Structures are given as C-alpha cells and as structure tokens.
Amino acid sequence: MACTRSIMQRKRSKTSATRALAGCLALLSVGACGSLRNPPPKDPEALEDYKAANDPYEPLNRKMFLVNMVAYKFALRPMGKAWRDNVPKFFRNTVDNVNETWGQPSTFFSDVGAGKPRRAGDSFMRFLINMSAGVAGFFDVASFTSYKNHTTDPGMTMGVWGIKSGPYVFLPGIGPSNFRDSIGYALGQALVPINYVPSGYGLIDFNWAYNILGDFNNFSNQIDQLDQLEHQSLDPYAFMRSAWQQKRQSDIDALKADNRATVPDWY
C-alpha cells in the first residue's frame, strides 16, 4: 500500500491536510493494485451479489481492514477506553463542540452546493452563534435554539448531483469510503478556513489539537459498537461494508428530500 503520510515542508502543514492527502494516496494506490482486484464472476447469481457489494478491490480492502483491526485491538482500544473512562464527560463534550463548530463552514458550503438554503442557513447560524456566544465553539449554544446540528459533506453533495459513488474502498486510518467520498473528504478539508491561517497566531497548534482530540474522542464513543461488530458478526468486514453503504445512501436520500422552507418555523 502506498505511504499514507504527507511529507510536510512548512509549519503551516496541519492534521486535516495530512489526512486528506493520506486518503488520496491510498485511493490512488487502489487503482494501481490491479492484482488485488476481484474479477466479475460469470455465474449470474454471483455476479448480482458482486455488483450489489460494489467491492471489486475486496482483497486489498480486507487487508487494510485487518491492519486497522489489529491496531484497534492492541493500541487504539486500550487508549480509547482509558480516555472515555477517565476524562470527564464535560471535557469530552467540549472537544466534540469545538471539532463540530470549526468544521461548520465545510457543512455550510456543502449545503449550498446541494441547493439546500434552509440547511445552509442553519449551518451559517450555528457557526455564528457558537463562535460568538459559544466562545469559539467550546459550548454548543446554538442547540438551545432552533439551529440543530446536521451533517452534510461534499461527498453527499456530489451524491445529490447524481455522481456515481465508484467502487467501495477501505482507507487505512479513515475507514469505509468509496472513490467519490474519498475525493469529497479531501474537498471537505479544503473548505475548513482555519487551514489557511498564517503561522504565528497559535492557531496552527490549536488546529492540530482539536483535530486529533476530536477524531480520538469520536473513536472512543464507538468502541462498544466496534466490539459488538468484532464479536457478533460472522464476517465483520462484510457487515461493516454493508452497514456503511446503506447508511451513506440513506444520508444522501435524506438530503435530497429535505425541501423545508427557507426560514425557520419561529421566524
């Protein structure tokens, strides 16, 4: 597998840029690994299952999944449990709030691109309220109003446009994805404004901190589900693939169907 680490030349290099580049490099390496591609079966029933799974790179994806699960079992899970069991919930919630607020511009531009003005307005107001009254996003004040949190990303926007997902891929360090959403992930990182601040203001270190802690906190919240997946599924890889694909399509369908009035109900 190609290297998933970015060689950074300047102090402005940040966690989000590294993760985006890692995903792109992993995606490109998938295309280069033709020997790890499953050819379409000739049996009609098997071919139907093959198309439904949309996983022609399954041999490679399974290897990446195994690597992730080994890292999870021997390193990530113990650290995640220690974090969840020993760090106060208030602090963990604050990490979630900061991570969500500073990524809100990406949600806003994704909503605009999907042609959903009400969602875009909610995203804009959440960012404005939480950055001001919420003290730079440390507190989720916007949730006490009608501006509830929602998730939209460039991959979902492209799905609304009718762009095909492309084959399923499992990206090391990121997880389930596909060609379209891997590109969307990189675009989403590019839409976060803090990635473009000049050095010397302390924001670079802050960006590192909230990205790393945010991702780790999100991971620690999923330990129970991952344990259940590992111990109760006959084929954890196939179960995760199917569950992720169904959830992803459900999110895109919900975005398409969101045709609410532009102004909030209380206006």
Side-chain angles (χ1 to χ4, degrees):
M1 195 69 180
C3 177
T4 59
R5 183 179 58 189
S6 171
I7 301 177
M8 296 173 284
Q9 300 292 331
R10 299 175 296 177
K11 293 172 65 178
R12 291 186 57 192
S13 300
K14 294 166 281 291
T15 301
S16 56
T18 303
R19 293 181 301 168
L21 181 57
C24 291
L25 290 176
L27 182 62
L28 290 174
S29 64
V30 167
C33 296
S35 61
L36 294 175
R37 179 185 176 102
N38 270 343
K42 296 181 179 180
D43 179 74
E45 292 187 3
L47 180 61
E48 184 176 346
D49 292 339
Y50 175 88
K51 291 180 178 179
N54 191 31
D55 191 8
Y57 298 102
E58 184 173 347
L60 176 60
N61 287 332
R62 283 187 177 274
K63 292 180 186 296
M64 294 301 99
F65 176 77
L66 179 61
V67 169
N68 269 32
M69 293 306 292
V70 170
Y72 167 74
K73 181 177 181 179
F74 292 102
L76 295 176
R77 185 179 186 277
M79 291 189 296
K81 283 184 65 65
W83 168 271
R84 188 184 64 182
D85 296 342
N86 295 287
V87 176
K89 185 174 179 60
F90 172 79
F91 181 79
R92 289 186 281 121
N93 288 342
T94 298
V95 170
D96 280 339
N97 293 338
V98 171
N99 205 46
E100 183 269 322
T101 298
W102 284 77
Q104 199 64 231
S106 176
T107 303
F108 168 75
F109 287 113
S110 298
D111 287 329
V112 171
K116 303 298 179 181
R118 170 65 182 275
R119 291 172 68 103
D122 288 352
S123 299
F124 178 81
M125 290 303 299
R126 280 190 61 80
F127 183 72
L128 184 65
I129 293 172
N130 285 345
M131 286 295 289
S132 54
V135 192
F138 281 83
F139 304 99
D140 185 9
V141 179
S143 286
F144 293 101
T145 68
S146 64
Y147 303 112
K148 304 301 181 182
N149 184 37
H150 68 268
T151 301
T152 314
D153 57 61
M156 292 170 61
T157 298
M158 288 189 283
V160 170
W161 293 346
I163 296 175
K164 300 298 183 182
S165 68
Y168 174 85
V169 291
F170 190 95
L171 301 178
I174 296 177
S177 189
N178 53 48
F179 279 22
R180 179 194 64 208
D181 291 339
S182 297
I183 295 171
Y185 178 84
L187 291 174
Q189 298 301 320
L191 292 173
V192 178
I194 195 175
N195 291 338
Y196 302 99
V197 300
S199 60
Y201 295 92
L203 291 177
I204 304 301
D205 293 335
F206 174 72
N207 193 24
W208 273 96
Y210 91 77
N211 268 291
I212 293 174
L213 286 178
D215 286 348
F216 190 72
N217 192 54
N218 182 60
F219 161 77
S220 69
N221 292 332
Q222 300 177 25
I223 288 177
D224 292 339
Q225 293 93 320
L226 288 172
D227 285 348
Q228 185 178 10
L229 171 72
E230 185 178 18
H231 296 129
Q232 297 185 9
S233 300
L234 295 177
D235 186 350
Y237 169 81
F239 183 88
M240 177 179 286
R241 178 187 63 196
S242 177
W244 180 84
Q245 289 174 330
Q246 292 179 38
K247 176 63 166 58
R248 192 63 176 164
Q249 188 58 51
S250 176
D251 290 342
I252 294 173
D253 292 340
L255 178 59
K256 288 180 181 179
D258 189 348
N259 297 313
R260 292 174 296 165
T262 301
V263 296
D265 296 336
W266 56 261
Y267 182 77

